[in-house]
Amino acid sequence: MSTSAEMTAFVRAVEVGGFSPAARELGLTPSAVSKLVTRLENRLGVRLLNRTTRSLALTPEGEAFLHRSQRILADIAEAEDEVARFRALPRGLLRVNVGFSFGLHQLAPALPEFLARHPDVQVELTMSDRVVDLIEDGADLGIRTGTLGDSSLIARHICDLERVICASPAYLKKHGTPKKPDDLLEHDCLRLAPFPALWRWPFDSPEGVRHVEVRGRVTATDAETLMRLAIAGAGIARMIDVVAGEAVREGKLVPILRDSHHVEAVPLSVVYPQGRHRSPKVAAMVEFLVERFGSAPWRAAAIKGRKR
């Protein structure tokens, strides 16, 4: 067995949490994976893993070796992809990580178009609002909302999202439409539970941006639930337009306080590890995302719907 095979067995066993799941991925038996890791340890002269019947735990030496091995294996994959791109169209399994809001409302409906263009690509779509480590999770690329922190990842800007304040026609008919920001204090406002900072809604004023700290009887842990609560008439919500756009277009939600609401641009980006842009399948998805969503089509559709 080659050094790369030993290294691959070690890395996958750690990443998936055991010899058995690693063996299933690699097409080997658990004992074969265990032997590869043992051979690696013997060759290095150090113990990389502490083994129990139920789990694997990295030793300090194992942790250091893991990070370097992940980079080496990524470089090998990059080298193979770079050679392959000269002879092949986009092909193979593409692992994409995306947040629920953009994934549900935009990417999933658009995915058949991407698959039709690239029939040799398979997509594994993972939706999570938790920011994951793409390399550790084995993802080829991720779609991120908001300002990106310092990272070794390459980022490409797709577009800017905006937030919109809206409520259902039934709620506004029953409770009245706020005419000025302070009127919100007399209304039930729907709030995102994990983010108290977003309970302070910004508005433009002659003195600059001022905030109204809204109140309400209902909080939710995600924007999708917030939207459904707003459509049901539970209150007024402030949410990303990528979530609210379809409901606004269909008249299920009505934007309010548009003249005074301070609209903050929220960047939407696609990120991927160094070198992955040379992979035909990654490059194809990046270009598709920019082409398909660069103009924020949900915003234009919502505006068109309101003018009917």
Side-chain angles (χ1 to χ4, degrees):
M1 285 288 182
S2 67
T3 300
S4 64
E6 296 170 352
M7 188 178 291
T8 299
F10 165 69
V11 169
R12 292 311 296 153
V14 174
E15 289 179 340
V16 301
F19 293 142
S20 293
R24 287 193 292 271
E25 281 197 9
L26 300 174
L28 301 172
T29 64
S31 62
V33 174
S34 177
K35 288 177 181 178
L36 284 171
V37 175
T38 299
R39 184 178 304 172
L40 177 62
E41 291 177 320
N42 291 338
R43 186 165 53 80
L44 295 174
V46 296
R47 180 175 290 277
L48 301 175
L49 294 171
N50 289 319
R51 303 156 172 81
T52 70
T53 56
R54 294 186 178 180
S55 65
L56 302 175
L58 285 167
T59 65
E61 294 84 358
E63 186 169 356
F65 191 76
L66 173 68
H67 297 312
R68 183 64 64 90
S69 297
Q70 287 172 324
R71 291 197 294 270
I72 290 171
L73 293 174
D75 287 341
I76 292 173
E78 177 187 341
E80 292 175 349
D81 282 342
E82 191 164 0
V83 172
R85 72 189 176 97
F86 291 107
R87 62 174 176 80
L89 295 172
R91 66 177 66 246
L93 179 61
L94 180 68
R95 295 181 172 92
V96 180
N97 175 261
V98 61
F100 281 106
S101 295
F102 187 81
L104 285 172
H105 291 275
Q106 302 301 326
L107 183 56
L111 205 53
E113 180 182 343
F114 175 82
L115 296 173
R117 292 188 191 182
H118 306 289
D120 293 327
V121 176
Q122 303 90 46
V123 176
E124 180 182 288
L125 194 60
T126 302
M127 295 192 195
S128 171
D129 287 330
R130 176 180 62 88
V131 177
V132 303
D133 186 309
L134 296 184
I135 295 176
E136 286 187 2
D137 278 40
D140 294 295
L141 59 84
I143 301 170
R144 300 282 183 263
T145 301
T147 303
L148 300 173
D150 293 337
S151 171
S152 61
L153 300 175
I154 295 175
R156 183 163 176 189
H157 183 258
I158 299 174
C159 67
D160 286 331
L161 309 180
E162 296 178 356
R163 291 191 172 93
V164 59
I165 300 174
C166 50
S168 70
Y171 177 91
L172 297 176
K173 181 178 181 180
K174 182 176 181 179
H175 300 281
T177 301
K179 302 299 183 184
K180 58 184 185 298
D182 286 339
D183 290 347
L184 291 170
L185 298 175
E186 306 301 321
H187 286 265
D188 270 323
C189 293
L190 305 169
R191 302 172 297 173
L192 276 175
F195 307 106
L198 295 181
W199 301 357
R200 301 177 70 247
W201 294 2
F203 295 92
D204 293 319
S205 74
E207 293 75 30
V209 178
R210 61 179 291 262
H211 292 82
V212 174
E213 187 155 354
V214 298
R215 300 185 291 266
R217 292 178 292 168
V218 181
T219 59
T221 58
D222 61 90
E224 179 72 17
T225 302
L226 210 68
M227 178 196 68
R228 295 184 182 279
L229 286 165
I231 291 174
I236 299 173
R238 179 175 181 258
M239 67 188 84
I240 291 287
D241 59 358
V242 74
V243 175
E246 182 178 355
V248 170
R249 183 178 69 249
E250 294 175 352
K252 296 177 181 179
L253 291 175
V254 179
I256 62 174
L257 297 172
R258 294 172 58 202
D259 293 338
S260 56
H261 180 214
H262 181 72
V263 178
E264 304 160 306
V266 182
L268 181 72
S269 308
V270 54
V271 297
Y272 44 91
Q274 295 278 351
R276 291 287 174 87
H277 64 290
R278 296 190 179 96
S279 165
K281 62 186 179 183
V282 172
M285 177 57 82
V286 171
E287 293 305 319
F288 175 77
L289 291 170
V290 173
E291 173 195 329
R292 185 72 168 73
F293 302 113
S295 62
W298 53 86
R299 193 175 305 141
I303 293 172
K304 183 179 178 180
R306 290 201 303 269
K307 290 181 177 179
R308 287 178 183 170

